[in-house]
Amino acid sequence: MVMDKKLNRRTIAAAAAAAPFAPALLKSAAAQDAVTLRYGLWDANQLPAYQACADAFTEANPNITIEIEQLAWDDYWTNIQTGMLSGSNYDVFTNHLAKYPEFVSLGQIVDIQPFVDEDGVDTTQYEGELADLWSRDGARYGLPKDWDTVAVIYNEDMLTTAGLEPGVFAEWTWNPDDGGSFRETVAQLTLDENGNNGLSPDFDRDNVAQYGLAMGLGDAYGQTAWSLFACSTGWRFMDEPWGEEYHFDDERVIQSIQSLADLGLVDGFNAPEEEVASLNVETVFSAGTAALIFHGSWMINWMADNITFPFGFGNLPTGPEGRICMFNGLADSIWTGSEHQAESWEWVKFLGSPEAQQIVGGTAVVFPAIPAAAETALAAFQEKGLDVTPYLEQAQQENGTFLFPIADNASEYTATMTAAMQAVALGEAPAAEALPEANEDINDLF
Amino acid sequence: MDMSVTSSASQPKRRFLHEWRRGETLAAWLFMLPALIGFVVFFGFPAARGFYIGLTEWNLLTEPEYIGLENYRELIQDDEFWHSMWVTLYYVLLNIPLQTVLALVIAVVFDRFVRGSGWRSLLLLPWLMPNVVVALLFLWILDPGLGIVNEFFEAVGLPSQSFLGSVDQAMPSIAGINIWRHVGYTALLLIAGMQRIPRDLYDAGALDGASEVKMFRDITLPLLRPIMVFVLITSIVGSFQIFDTIAVTTSGGPVDATRVIYWYIYQEAFERFNFGYASAASIILFAILVVVSLVQLRLLRANESDLS
């Protein structure tokens, strides 16, 4: 049985290698046979949008049916891995920057550059450098479908009670030395059992009734948390995409992380790491125990559906070197084991087209990668009564984003850095110790 | 569950031929065949293959590359591996002594004082729940923000605890969860062992004026030994294999405090695609468990019964 599978995979791989040289041939075959493509995605919120895309696609290509399968994040990746091993993966699947380098090194996703050249797809139509994130050494592994940025989300009632206005987020600042007006705002929004806020000398940090902030630090990329702050000092994970040296021994990141950890450990303004780790910040926020959280644009709909009190979105605090967040984007990749590579490419090409991205934008779930479709999304959000301009502003602001630190050995990096960040957040080790040590471990991987 | 070996074959060869002629040996093999096939197909072959894979570097998608004992050399120097071993041992030490003592107490109470098997079946209830369900339940029960345990703590004026979220409390919490699930089942096995102890020994003890405590020490415990060995070996081996509770509640965190050996092996194999390395780690774990079991058998003289 094992032998069979190997043989099978090898033939498929051979077919995959041959495919780019004969796209026209394959396409003519595609026009005749009825084909069902399995398409995988992890975000349940986006399912209706992509079902709409699939319907439009099948209408234009009656011989290709799209079968969408959705699994939650953790199961999704396990399923893809076992699918690759057993020869039963999705033909096309939503891919993530933290995951795709490993699939490339294992030879599991198709280089679509020949298809792109053949069909003349314009890769500059996507926002910023999104398309570059998916190419390496002249090969390309996906067409951008959306992007995400981060903003602050506030509980309106708590803000009003504290005597603050949403305008505060337009100009709040942060620095690793004293936390700037960010720390003051968070303090002002923290209340102890006696109703004293964090700025009061009588504030009892051991009996907090309402936290000013719920932010988890125990995460390897800190996309919606520590990276917003650490990178606003000018620090970067590494010097370039596909770099081989991380900079967690840099004073700026060490100070930033320690300052954020102390916001919880020393001040008592941030919800305890244990709590946000078990519940997610959005749950803590929706339970009404924290006034502010930072979260990504992919959460907008979840917020709209699950938050029962008035809330709003605001800009990120400005750090010593400006206001910045991670610019992350998803793309669709084709599995090398797919028996329908040509049809898969047609589907990927469609999802990367203005037509599909306008459909997705119109459903107001995420910001599509094509700017005009992102504007459509903004308008659709507005129609739902959600003012989400901070997300778009962050994406369009000059130097407002840094790219996801794409690199090899991502799973080892994740395991090591998660443990190091947890240790600092829980007060088990100071950042000055844990981070340089972890840095050495991860740089040894290359 | 008779573990005593009493028969001594004096004329083995003639007897074997005699039985073979009578077809009994053949019948015996036929009866064992289904189990044997299962053993070879689902255990023997995979185990042998696992041993081979441990000598290779393999990511499942490309051909395995034979590298000899390189994986073992690396493992011996791998701090993460040893950390996982210690964490696992820590868990076993938290789990087994308390679980066994509690099970003994429950078993004695049920054996000496409770009549009727209806009550006994209550003991099995936690064990009937799937591990994952138990772990999920306790994840919520012990939650620092919403859990009922902390609600109770706060109601009586105690500080709320992080339990699974804290580096120090995570492992004891997991041990507690599994003790809750397994203690009834363990007790039931011990009760079965106690039922084999002749009642007249207790009557005689009572006549001589021995207390319950003394009878437990001088009658129950020594005569329970073969069952005790079985219970200890299976529960210690099972305890070393802790995985699902951790997968559901902590994923090896926080700060690797609950990254037990099986979780480490899982991560190496299925998250990092180092199947050769993960197999080598499994083989080391296998060797350790064999040694632990042999030592236990030896120390507890499992093949002798004071009853026979």
Side-chain angles (χ1 to χ4, degrees):
Chain A
M1 214 165 79
V2 177
M3 283 308 288
D4 272 5
K5 263 183 201 145
K6 259 184 218 147
L7 203 68
N8 194 12
R9 253 200 315 275
R10 222 177 280 139
T11 18
I12 289 168
F21 302 109
L25 186 87
L26 278 165
K27 242 178 272 166
S28 64
Q32 292 144 17
D33 305 329
V35 164
T36 300
L37 293 180
R38 291 173 62 217
Y39 175 62
L41 60 87
W42 68 78
D43 187 357
N45 293 322
Q46 299 183 34
L47 193 61
Y50 283 94
Q51 190 56 55
C53 288
D55 295 342
F57 179 74
T58 303
E59 202 169 310
N61 304 271
N63 63 319
I64 310 175
T65 315
I66 308 292
E67 213 176 86
I68 303 181
E69 295 173 41
Q70 182 263 329
L71 280 176
W73 176 266
D74 283 334
D75 296 329
Y76 180 76
W77 296 108
T78 311
N79 195 46
I80 282 182
Q81 284 169 9
T82 50
M84 285 172 174
L85 303 176
S86 62
S88 62
N89 191 25
Y90 311 119
D91 296 285
V92 180
F93 62 97
T94 312
N95 214 340
H96 190 271
L97 291 168
K99 301 282 181 180
Y100 99 84
E102 258 156 357
F103 295 145
V104 171
S105 67
L106 293 169
Q108 293 298 307
I109 45 182
V110 174
D111 170 16
I112 57 170
Q113 189 60 45
F115 293 117
V116 168
D117 293 340
E118 169 80 18
D119 290 357
V121 174
D122 175 16
T123 55
T124 61
Q125 66 181 320
Y126 306 109
E127 182 72 47
E129 296 162 275
L130 281 181
D132 300 342
L133 285 169
W134 294 91
S135 75
R136 184 185 199 182
D137 303 332
R140 185 175 298 279
Y141 299 101
L143 287 183
K145 54 199 278 169
D146 59 22
W147 52 258
D148 49 69
T149 53
V150 180
V152 69
I153 305 167
Y154 57 85
N155 180 319
E156 220 172 288
D157 297 339
M158 291 181 183
L159 210 63
T160 315
T161 312
L164 292 166
E165 306 235 345
V168 71
F169 304 116
E171 50 212 35
W172 59 342
T173 61
W174 175 83
N175 66 72
D177 300 322
D178 64 8
S181 62
F182 161 79
R183 184 169 172 277
E184 262 173 57
T185 309
V186 171
Q188 214 172 330
L189 286 164
T190 308
L191 296 174
D192 68 12
E193 306 270 3
N194 301 318
N196 297 314
N197 77 19
L199 293 173
S200 153
D202 301 326
F203 174 70
D204 175 9
R205 50 147 295 176
D206 294 321
N207 288 298
V208 176
Q210 169 192 316
Y211 291 101
L213 175 70
M215 178 165 74
L217 296 177
D219 178 85
Y221 292 100
Q223 187 183 2
T224 59
W226 57 260
S227 77
L228 308 168
F229 297 85
C231 291
S232 76
T233 65
W235 173 83
R236 292 293 178 273
F237 287 73
M238 38 174 57
D239 292 332
E240 70 272 312
W242 302 104
E244 302 198 337
E245 195 193 349
Y246 287 96
H247 299 312
F248 284 97
D249 52 354
D250 188 302
E251 266 314 305
R252 290 171 295 182
V253 68
I254 293 171
Q255 278 184 15
S256 301
I257 303 290
Q258 194 59 59
S259 143
L260 293 171
D262 290 346
L263 201 60
L265 295 170
V266 179
D267 297 329
F269 302 157
N270 187 14
E273 179 74 13
E274 295 93 326
E275 203 160 314
V276 291
S278 80
L279 284 179
N280 300 327
V281 290
E282 59 267 29
T283 318
V284 175
F285 181 75
S286 69
T289 35
L292 304 177
I293 58 168
F294 291 95
H295 226 314
S297 46
W298 64 88
M299 286 300 288
I300 298 171
N301 260 349
W302 188 92
M303 292 288 162
D305 293 344
N306 292 281
I307 307 292
T308 51
F309 47 79
F311 68 97
F313 302 89
N315 294 106
L316 299 174
T318 304
E321 299 279 318
R323 197 170 68 189
I324 198 161
C325 81
M326 190 183 284
F327 200 40
N328 181 43
L330 308 181
D332 295 304
S333 293
I334 304 173
W335 179 44
T336 44
S338 165
E339 288 171 38
H340 311 292
Q341 310 253 332
E343 293 86 348
S344 294
W345 161 246
E346 290 301 322
W347 172 233
V348 168
K349 186 172 74 175
F350 178 72
L351 290 180
S353 72
E355 190 190 346
Q357 303 215 347
Q358 287 288 359
I359 296 177
V360 174
T363 59
V365 273
V366 287
F367 289 105
I370 294 173
E375 294 290 344
T376 305
L378 185 70
F381 280 126
Q382 227 108 40
E383 228 165 87
K384 284 189 184 179
L386 297 163
D387 180 9
V388 296
T389 32
Y391 288 109
L392 199 62
E393 275 175 18
Q394 195 64 47
Q396 290 170 348
Q397 173 197 318
E398 200 172 337
N399 297 323
T401 56
F402 62 92
L403 292 180
F404 181 90
I406 189 166
D408 288 317
N409 298 312
S411 52
E412 306 240 11
Y413 163 85
T414 304
T416 307
M417 283 318 300
T418 305
M421 289 294 171
Q422 280 179 346
V424 179
L426 293 170
E428 296 284 321
E433 239 170 64
L435 297 189
E437 206 181 297
N439 197 55
E440 221 168 282
D441 288 347
I442 51 180
N443 284 335
D444 280 349
L445 297 169
F446 295 96
Chain B
M1 186 88 34
D2 194 350
M3 288 197 169
S4 55
V5 178
T6 44
S7 63
S8 60
S10 48
Q11 301 156 304
K13 202 171 176 187
R14 264 183 59 191
R15 208 162 110 188
F16 173 78
L17 285 172
H18 177 67
E19 278 173 9
W20 182 259
R21 238 175 279 134
R22 278 172 48 193
E24 280 180 11
T25 309
L26 183 68
W29 279 106
L30 279 175
F31 278 118
M32 285 193 289
L33 199 60
L36 210 58
I37 290 176
F39 179 82
V40 169
V41 171
F42 296 110
F43 186 82
F45 175 70
R49 197 172 146 73
F51 188 75
Y52 162 70
I53 291 170
L55 302 174
T56 68
E57 194 180 329
W58 190 34
N59 63 21
L60 269 182
L61 291 162
T62 51
E63 289 298 312
E65 184 192 336
Y66 182 80
I67 53 167
L69 294 173
E70 191 50 44
N71 284 331
Y72 294 92
R73 251 193 298 276
E74 255 180 69
L75 271 171
I76 288 170
Q77 293 165 359
D78 182 346
D79 293 342
E80 294 188 1
F81 172 73
W82 290 113
H83 171 76
S84 300
M85 276 295 184
W86 281 118
V87 167
T88 312
L89 191 67
Y90 175 49
Y91 168 76
V92 173
L93 290 176
L94 285 173
N95 179 353
I96 297 300
L98 189 57
Q99 176 175 307
T100 313
V101 168
L102 280 177
L104 256 179
V105 171
I106 294 173
V108 169
V109 169
F110 271 75
D111 181 54
R112 303 288 295 136
F113 307 114
V114 181
R115 294 279 153 250
S117 56
W119 291 104
R120 238 176 269 160
S121 55
L122 278 182
L123 285 178
L124 263 186
L125 280 182
W127 188 75
L128 289 176
M129 284 212 266
N131 259 349
V132 172
V133 174
V134 171
L136 274 174
L137 269 179
F138 274 93
L139 187 61
W140 286 106
I141 290 174
L142 298 176
D143 188 275
L146 308 172
I148 192 166
V149 175
N150 274 323
E151 294 283 325
F152 173 75
F153 277 18
E154 272 165 35
V156 298
L158 290 166
S160 78
Q161 301 296 318
S162 310
F163 295 116
L164 294 160
S166 135
V167 173
D168 301 322
Q169 295 173 7
M171 203 46 121
S173 303
I174 287 171
I177 295 170
N178 283 337
I179 289 173
W180 178 82
R181 182 172 183 268
H182 289 283
V183 74
Y185 174 71
T186 311
L188 209 63
L189 290 175
L190 294 176
I191 293 172
M194 288 175 185
Q195 308 272 301
R196 292 173 65 239
I197 300 170
R199 296 288 117 176
D200 46 6
L201 290 178
Y202 292 101
D203 296 341
L207 273 179
D208 290 344
S211 64
E212 278 296 331
V213 176
K214 191 169 168 51
M215 286 198 285
F216 171 73
R217 207 184 57 214
D218 293 340
I219 302 174
T220 314
L221 264 191
L223 295 178
L224 197 61
R225 205 181 53 231
I227 289 293
M228 203 62 188
V229 172
F230 172 78
V231 165
L232 275 179
I233 289 184
T234 52
S235 60
I236 286 178
V237 169
S239 188
F240 266 99
Q241 294 172 334
I242 168 87
F243 178 82
D244 30 20
T245 317
I246 281 167
V248 172
T249 55
T250 62
S251 304
V255 204
D256 295 343
T258 61
R259 191 168 66 181
V260 289
I261 188 66
Y262 261 71
W263 186 256
Y264 178 72
I265 291 171
Y266 168 80
Q267 281 188 313
E268 281 295 331
F270 295 96
E271 284 181 9
R272 306 182 189 176
F273 290 106
N274 295 328
F275 278 83
Y277 198 64
S279 296
S282 311
I283 297 290
I284 293 184
L285 179 63
F286 172 70
I288 289 174
L289 290 182
V290 167
V291 171
V292 167
S293 305
L294 286 178
V295 167
Q296 274 182 307
L297 282 170
R298 181 107 200 134
L299 284 180
L300 291 157
R301 293 174 293 131
N303 57 351
E304 299 165 26
S305 166
D306 294 330
L307 275 177
S308 49

